[in-house]
Amino acid sequence: MSTTRPYSPGDRGPEPSGASGMPEGDVPAGGASTGGTTAVPAAPPGGRQVRRLDFDGQSGVVPLARDFTRQALYAWGWLPAATADQRAAAEDVLLVVSELVTNACLHAEGPEQLELTCDNKVIRIEVSDRGAGQPAPRTPHRAGRPGGHGMFIVQRLCLDWGVVRTPGVAGKRVWAELGAPA
């Protein structure tokens, strides 16, 4: 299901600047930032973990995004997978990352940032770009036609997905959420 919301489902909206105890955009003490990536340690409630990859000046962004995501999945215990279901869940995450980053490359002047958020039950993928377009699965979907399958794949694999736009700011964030393997 595609949705356009000012924020994700279950969220009451963005916290005001400083509401989390630090100014927006700051990395908490102990967070690492190297080579365009930022790893934020787990927050106490729910074991939530966040990793960010900035694409500024990068080439080969789709394989870069997949490698970054694979590293996060290893760090978060999704890989190596002990069962076929766990392996399939990790592969689904990698495929959705590839599709969202590819769409930003093809339809939105390229991605700006990839953000991965993981808690015990859900992994959230967000790709920000400067594009004005609205992603949507092609209808009718024709499996035999080359191209145009990206958002159909995202729709089929994810619990939910959507687009977040900030008024007065160019671009958008396309997000998707997948359930953790059992």
Side-chain angles (χ1 to χ4, degrees), residues 117-143:
T117 306
C118 183
D119 64 23
N120 295 331
K121 297 178 182 176
V122 174
I123 190 163
R124 180 182 175 93
I125 302 160
E126 289 190 34
V127 176
S128 60
D129 63 54
R130 291 193 180 124
Q134 180 71 19
R138 282 194 186 162
T139 53
H141 180 254
R142 294 189 182 137

Side-chain angles (χ1 to χ4, degrees), residues 53 55 60-66 68-69 93-116 125-129 150-151 154 174:
L53 172 63
F55 293 109
V61 295
V62 175
L64 181 67
R66 284 181 65 88
F68 175 80
T69 303
V93 170
L94 293 168
L95 179 56
V96 170
V97 165
S98 296
E99 294 299 338
L100 295 181
V101 172
T102 297
N103 278 356
C105 291
L106 294 174
H107 307 291
E109 303 170 28
E112 290 184 324
Q113 185 181 71
L114 167 65
E115 181 175 300
L116 304 172
I125 302 160
E126 289 190 34
V127 176
S128 60
D129 63 54
M151 293 313 294
V154 169
V174 180

Side-chain angles (χ1 to χ4, degrees), residues 69-71 73-82 86-87 90-91 94:
T69 303
R70 189 175 291 108
Q71 290 172 10
L73 293 173
Y74 273 101
W76 295 336
W78 285 51
L79 290 173
Q86 291 171 339
R87 180 72 182 162
E91 291 295 330
L94 293 168

